[in-house]
Amino acid sequence: MREIVLLGLTLLLGMALLATLAQRLRIPTPIFLVLGGLLVSLIPGVPPISIEPELIFLVFLPPLLYEAAWFMSWRELWRWRRIVLVMAFGLVILTATAVAYASVAFIPGFTLAVGFLLGGIVSPPDAVAASSVLKDVDAPKSTLNILEGESLINDASSLIVFRFALSTITSGVFVWQEVAVDFVLVTIMGGLIGLAVGGIFYAIHRWIPMQPRITILLTFLGPYIMYMTAEHFHYSGVIAVVAGGLFLSNHSHRILNHTERVQGLSMWATVIFIINGLVFVLIGLELSVVVQELDGYSVPDAIFYGLIISGVLIVVRMVFALMAAGWTRIAGRFITVAVRNAGWRGPLVVGWAGMRGVVSLAAALSIPLNLPGGELFPHRSLILFITFVVILVTLVFQGLTLPMVIRWLHPKELFPRMPEEQQEAIIHRQLQEVALRELRRRFDGQVDDNVLLTSLKNRLESELKLNQVIAADRDGPTMARYHEARVGLSAAKRQELERLRRQEDFDEDVVRKIEAQLDLEEERYDHLIR
């Protein structure tokens, strides 16, 4: 037990150091973590670390999907629903088919069923990798929304393809009609189960008073219950988590108060960072295990097969993205589409952002060692090695070059959007004007007689004027003096707070509460001038 705890702590410390170094070097964190784990696995004496597939599917995957669904805009998902669904289902099936036939053509001994199994494993791009690479790049919002929407759903479709291919290999029976019906049933029922469980959690949050810590705990339990319930009935747990997460996120303003949102966001950000970091480090550390299991194949041949499959994945996705843009332009003459002319720059970026990651590796690891009859599963070690090569090629090569591709192509925003700074200024002004109108409507005639209401009215008017001045003179001398004064006053407050902290008259809990209020005040000001 002590060795396991020590290993876990070592992994967390190494992950933190690698993430910090990646940030300093301005390299996307997932790429650096995978490379770091890869280099560590090559050090003599490092014990091999084997990843349990159930650990990823059951422990890691639900919160990762839930967090992605929580921050996905339902409006944007609905706006791009056609291209998202086509890529999440159509592209996955097309990719799996292309990989299946390429495997049969290039890899000796591969059958079509084994090829489809490999295709189901490597077809879904990784949501975390794409968002991590693109968050520091000036990419259009529309491109980000399409990629995020696709990555929410494509895991489910690829795992369904994987499941049916695995069933075909183990049973030797494959009926297209049954596969098609089961595909639709697994997807729809998974979504319904996710909405049902989400509805139960909505009722609990809405009508049962709880402490913020308990509320936050329930937000962590939700995705696991959604996933496990759907998987128990042999439906898509991935779709269940996505559907339930989208539902609860869309109603979060009704079920969570401000304290729960602030504390919950901080907790979730930390937990997701740890999960993501561990997963990508473990992918790199898995190399030694993968190579050891490569029985009957030479490493150069296996690398060659992996590069062939990687090339097929990249080409199919690029061609599909460009063809989808052309088809949208034609279809726009007959049906309503979000954007009729998407051009070629944006689709190329979407096509290049096809990094594979944790779901592919977990699916490959979940292949059983033996068939029901006792014989070894065909080509299991080679499938696992090819999956690892695909992850390295797409994540490292495409991930490192994606920012350069975006800067080179400079894709345009597909949908007209107001600059974020202008949006924020308008929203702040509207909220302050509404608050002032409400104060005058409800307490007209009482403001002058109540010093607290007078102070509230003056503060609202002052904040409204402040926002107007900042918008008009953001980089001018007035703003510079104001910023200097705010920083100085904040420093003076904190110095005084530290002096009071050392006095016995003030409890540490009270001091910490005031300190948190100062933190929120400074965070709000930083956000205002950003």
Side-chain angles (χ1 to χ4, degrees):
M1 177 61 71
R2 181 176 296 179
E3 289 76 11
I4 295 176
V5 173
L6 181 60
L7 176 61
L9 293 175
T10 304
L11 284 176
L12 289 174
L13 179 60
M15 177 201 71
L17 294 176
L18 288 172
T20 303
L21 187 57
Q23 188 177 19
R24 290 288 183 89
L25 298 176
R26 296 187 177 181
I27 297 175
T29 303
I31 298 174
F32 204 80
L33 291 176
V34 169
L35 292 176
L38 181 63
L39 292 175
V40 171
S41 70
L42 299 176
I43 298 176
V46 174
I49 298 177
S50 181
I51 307 175
E52 291 293 332
E54 288 300 320
L55 184 68
I56 294 178
F57 280 132
L58 185 58
V59 179
F60 290 164
L61 193 58
L64 291 176
L65 290 170
Y66 190 78
E67 193 259 354
W70 188 272
F71 289 103
M72 180 67 199
S73 168
W74 173 255
R75 182 180 59 190
E76 295 294 334
L77 185 61
W78 181 255
R79 174 181 292 165
W80 306 109
R81 62 190 182 279
R82 292 185 178 89
I83 185 61
V84 165
L85 290 175
V86 168
M87 294 186 71
F89 289 97
L91 178 55
V92 164
I93 295 174
L94 177 62
T95 302
T97 304
V99 169
Y101 282 97
S103 301
V104 172
F106 289 99
I107 304 177
F110 258 52
T111 64
L112 202 57
V114 175
F116 268 104
L117 182 69
L118 177 60
I121 291 171
V122 299
S123 56
D126 185 78
V128 178
S131 59
S132 299
V133 172
L134 291 171
K135 69 178 181 180
D136 297 324
V137 180
D138 188 18
K141 278 281 188 179
S142 54
T143 301
L144 295 174
N145 290 327
I146 290 172
L147 290 172
E148 289 172 356
E150 176 204 5
S151 63
L152 278 177
I153 306 173
N154 62 13
D155 289 341
S157 56
S158 65
L159 291 176
I160 292 171
V161 173
F162 168 79
R163 179 186 300 177
F164 288 127
L166 185 62
S167 175
T168 301
I169 296 172
T170 55
S171 65
V173 179
F174 184 81
V175 181
W176 278 105
Q177 294 84 350
E178 293 182 4
V179 170
V181 172
D182 288 345
F183 189 93
V184 175
L185 184 64
V186 165
T187 303
I188 294 177
M189 290 304 298
L192 292 177
I193 289 175
L195 291 175
V197 176
I200 294 174
F201 274 87
Y202 174 87
I204 293 173
H205 284 298
R206 185 75 186 273
W207 291 298
I208 299 180
M210 292 176 292
Q211 294 180 352
R213 291 182 179 87
I214 299 176
T215 300
I216 296 170
L217 174 62
L218 288 179
T219 65
F220 283 104
L221 295 178
Y224 291 106
I225 294 176
M226 295 171 191
Y227 184 88
M228 295 176 67
T229 303
E231 290 293 324
H232 175 75
F233 294 103
H234 304 290
Y235 299 126
S236 174
V238 173
I239 291 293
V241 174
V242 171
L246 286 171
F247 171 77
L248 290 174
S249 173
N250 200 41
H251 294 86
S252 61
H253 60 286
R254 295 189 180 95
I255 62 177
L256 301 177
N257 59 37
H258 64 282
T259 302
E260 294 163 347
R261 280 193 295 272
V262 171
Q263 295 183 6
L265 286 175
S266 300
M267 287 291 296
W268 267 95
T270 303
V271 170
I272 293 300
F273 169 76
I274 293 173
I275 292 176
N276 282 333
L278 284 177
V279 166
F280 284 107
V281 169
L282 288 173
I283 289 177
L285 290 172
E286 188 72 10
L287 174 65
S288 59
V289 178
V290 173
V291 173
Q292 289 175 8
E293 294 182 354
L294 195 60
D295 298 327
Y297 302 95
S298 68
V299 173
D301 286 344
I303 293 176
F304 173 73
Y305 300 146
L307 294 176
I308 289 291
I309 299 302
S310 301
V312 170
L313 294 174
I314 295 173
V315 171
V316 168
R317 184 175 176 88
M318 296 288 288
V319 172
F320 185 92
L322 291 173
M323 290 182 63
W327 172 251
T328 300
R329 188 168 187 175
I330 297 173
R333 301 176 182 176
F334 309 100
I335 61 174
T336 302
V337 295
V339 175
R340 180 176 172 183
N341 185 12
W344 59 273
R345 300 174 186 270
L348 276 182
V349 172
V350 171
W352 195 249
M355 289 80 76
R356 271 61 179 177
V358 57
V359 174
S360 295
L361 185 61
L365 289 168
S366 66
I367 299 175
L369 294 173
N370 303 96
L371 295 174
E375 59 271 27
L376 292 176
F377 196 96
H379 308 287
R380 182 185 187 275
S381 60
L382 181 59
I383 291 174
L384 187 56
F385 188 89
I386 291 174
T387 303
F388 192 87
V389 173
V390 166
I391 292 173
L392 284 182
V393 170
T394 58
L395 183 60
V396 177
F397 173 61
Q398 288 186 284
L400 287 177
T401 56
L402 182 58
M404 292 184 289
V405 170
I406 293 176
R407 287 192 291 268
W408 174 53
L409 293 175
H410 195 61
K412 303 297 183 183
E413 177 60 62
L414 298 178
F415 198 83
R417 297 178 187 274
M418 190 185 303
E420 289 189 8
E421 296 81 3
Q422 188 176 350
Q423 294 181 44
E424 293 177 7
I426 292 174
I427 291 174
H428 281 304
R429 186 176 69 246
Q430 291 289 103
L431 294 179
Q432 288 152 356
E433 289 177 351
V434 166
L436 272 174
R437 286 199 301 268
E438 182 69 9
L439 182 65
R440 290 164 181 161
R441 183 184 70 83
R442 295 186 59 184
F443 302 98
D444 188 32
Q446 303 179 40
V447 174
D448 295 335
D449 300 328
N450 189 317
V451 64
L452 294 178
L453 291 178
T454 301
S455 175
L456 179 60
K457 174 176 174 291
N458 292 337
R459 183 169 64 84
L460 288 171
E461 291 175 341
S462 176
E463 288 180 356
L464 183 60
K465 184 176 181 181
L466 173 64
N467 286 332
Q468 293 172 345
V469 172
I470 290 177
D473 190 34
R474 182 173 294 272
D475 299 320
T478 302
M479 185 62 197
R481 297 286 79 76
Y482 176 74
H483 177 68
E484 183 180 352
R486 283 295 299 254
V487 172
L489 294 177
S490 178
K493 286 182 180 180
R494 291 190 178 278
Q495 186 176 1
E496 178 64 13
L497 188 64
E498 286 302 310
R499 188 185 69 81
L500 296 174
R501 188 195 297 270
R502 293 190 291 270
Q503 296 185 9
E504 295 184 358
D505 295 338
F506 303 102
D507 293 337
E508 182 65 22
D509 292 343
V510 176
V511 174
R512 288 183 181 274
K513 185 177 181 179
I514 301 299
E515 186 178 43
Q517 293 172 358
L518 289 177
D519 292 339
L520 290 175
E521 182 182 332
E522 291 186 13
E523 182 68 22
R524 180 181 176 277
Y525 172 69
D526 289 343
H527 185 72
L528 183 65
I529 66 173
R530 206 170 289 157

